[in-house]
Amino acid sequence: MYSCVSAKKYETLNNRYEYIVRTRVADTTRLSMESERHIQERDSIAIKYNRQVNAYLQLKNDSTTLAQNYYKNKKMLDDLFEKYDQLDKSYKQLSASLSSEDVSIAQNVSQKEKDLLIQEQKVLAQQANNDKLAASLQEREIKMLAFESSMRKMEKSVGDLKKKLEKSVLSSKDTAVTIEQRMTKLAIVFPESYGFASNTTNLSPQGVDLLKKIASILKIQPEYTITPTSLLIQSGGKDMVGEELSKSRIWYVAETLKKEGVTFSRISVSIKYQTAFAEQTKKTEKQPRTPLIEISIQPKLDSVFQMLQAD
């Protein structure tokens, strides 16, 4: 009788375990597909952003060239006006001294008139070209100023977010956590003491608390995207075990942010491989490697793209 009851309990527990495993596999597959889609979207946006930045740099170079041509043509125009004045003065002098008998002077005056007409046509054509260059230069300068203003506003916004995170995350005396601003991007680096237990996906209590504090700020900042990154330190070659462990850990970070209220569509995960220094390599020869964690935060760039693509 006792063994029969134990077998039923075992079967029930086994069924529950298999259900949990199937659910976990399904969730992991779904999350992996969503992450791949988010990564593709992020890469597409990054390509567009780099293309527009290159266009902006080309625009800036063209504007510099236009400015140089404008001032060069202006100098040429001033020289033409000066020559025109000299010819006009010479013409008036010749006209004043002209007599009916002085045929050679009359011919000279006639030629001077023709020269004056040609010079006048050149001056008008050059002035029209200068006007076009000036208008184009002004339009490009306005566009560059708008782009630079947008980037300054974005950097200020990122700086304000950095202050909020520092106030929440660095409120204790522990200064091991670092928050760096790299222009329009923030990087929160987890120290080793905030990481995972060796060969597990068990994040330290300090790390979990840090994620919750970060999520409490980011969930009310929908204009920012978040990229948790695992820095896998290698002594040489790809270690598939270490890579899989890093993937599991960084997925844990992404899921924790999601559970704490951060919209999952704003999150994409990443793994970077980093070669260890000699002393690190020696240290890790007989010990499992512990990938470090970095969370990158940057504003969505849709508004900047729209501004750059505007005619």
Side-chain angles (χ1 to χ4, degrees):
M1 185 65 178
Y2 177 78
S3 62
C4 180
V5 172
S6 298
K8 288 182 179 179
K9 287 184 177 180
Y10 172 79
E11 184 178 359
T12 300
L13 291 173
N14 187 56
N15 290 337
R16 289 179 63 188
Y17 172 74
E18 291 179 350
Y19 173 77
I20 291 172
V21 170
R22 288 195 301 274
T23 303
R24 178 64 178 177
V25 171
D27 289 344
T28 301
T29 301
R30 177 179 57 79
L31 290 173
S32 179
M33 292 175 66
E34 289 182 2
S35 177
E36 289 294 329
R37 179 171 59 82
H38 295 156
I39 290 172
Q40 291 175 0
E41 291 176 354
R42 180 199 62 190
D43 292 342
S44 176
I45 288 176
I47 291 172
K48 291 180 181 178
Y49 174 72
N50 290 334
R51 188 180 297 131
Q52 293 299 333
V53 169
N54 289 336
Y56 160 71
L57 294 176
Q58 184 60 45
L59 179 66
K60 195 170 184 179
N61 289 335
D62 291 347
S63 297
T64 301
T65 302
L66 282 172
Q68 292 173 348
N69 289 336
Y70 172 79
Y71 290 115
K72 179 180 178 181
N73 290 331
K74 186 176 183 302
K75 186 178 184 302
M76 291 174 61
L77 182 61
D78 293 338
D79 292 340
L80 285 173
F81 274 119
E82 184 179 353
K83 290 180 180 178
Y84 178 89
D85 291 336
Q86 291 175 353
L87 287 171
D88 185 61
K89 183 178 180 180
S90 176
Y91 168 75
K92 290 177 179 178
Q93 290 175 347
L94 288 171
S95 296
S97 60
L98 184 64
S99 63
S100 58
E101 294 82 16
D102 198 349
V103 178
S104 62
I105 293 179
Q107 293 176 344
N108 190 15
V109 169
S110 177
Q111 184 60 44
K112 294 294 182 181
E113 289 177 342
K114 293 179 182 179
D115 291 341
L116 282 173
L117 181 60
I118 293 173
Q119 292 295 338
E120 185 177 4
Q121 291 173 344
K122 287 182 179 180
V123 166
L124 292 175
Q126 190 65 53
Q127 188 166 4
N129 185 46
N130 280 350
D131 291 341
K132 288 182 180 179
L133 287 174
S136 177
L137 178 61
Q138 185 177 13
E139 181 181 351
R140 288 169 182 263
E141 287 178 345
I142 291 172
K143 197 169 185 178
M144 281 194 303
L145 288 173
F147 178 82
E148 290 170 354
S149 175
S150 178
M151 293 301 292
R152 284 195 298 271
K153 289 179 181 178
M154 195 174 292
E155 286 186 27
K156 183 181 182 303
S157 175
V158 171
D160 293 339
L161 177 61
K162 179 175 181 285
K163 291 177 182 178
K164 290 180 182 178
L165 286 167
E166 287 176 338
K167 185 176 180 181
S168 173
V169 173
L170 306 180
S171 57
S172 66
K173 294 182 180 180
D174 186 356
T175 58
V177 180
T178 59
I179 304 177
E180 302 175 2
Q181 180 173 357
R182 302 163 185 170
M183 295 184 69
T184 60
K185 183 177 180 181
L186 289 181
I188 304 176
V189 182
F190 283 49
E192 189 172 336
S193 59
Y194 282 59
F196 291 90
S198 180
N199 268 341
T200 72
T201 56
N202 298 324
L203 187 61
S204 67
Q206 302 98 308
V208 173
D209 183 60
L210 178 57
L211 282 179
K212 289 181 178 180
K213 289 178 179 179
I214 293 171
S216 69
I217 300 295
L218 295 181
K219 68 182 181 182
I220 57 175
Q221 301 279 166
E223 69 275 20
Y224 289 90
T225 59
I226 304 101
T227 304
T229 302
S230 178
L231 303 178
L232 178 59
I233 299 178
Q234 301 185 121
S235 59
K238 272 194 176 183
D239 184 341
M240 297 307 294
V241 176
E243 183 176 2
E244 291 303 317
L245 179 60
S246 292
K247 287 181 179 179
S248 298
R249 288 174 166 178
I250 211 62
W251 270 113
Y252 174 85
V253 173
E255 290 174 357
T256 300
L257 291 172
K258 178 185 175 184
K259 289 177 183 177
E260 293 299 321
V262 179
T263 306
F264 194 71
S265 60
R266 296 166 53 202
I267 304 173
S268 58
V269 299
S270 174
I271 295 178
K272 293 182 181 178
Y273 297 90
Q274 178 178 327
T275 303
F277 294 108
E279 60 271 16
Q280 291 175 321
T281 304
K282 183 176 180 181
K283 177 182 177 182
T284 57
E285 282 177 352
K286 297 181 180 180
Q287 298 177 8
R289 291 180 297 216
T290 304
L292 302 178
I293 302 169
E294 178 179 301
I295 296 181
S296 297
I297 306 165
Q298 66 182 76
K300 295 178 181 178
L301 302 174
D302 298 348
S303 59
V304 178
F305 292 152
Q306 292 173 2
M307 186 271 294
L308 286 174
Q309 291 171 351
D311 293 331

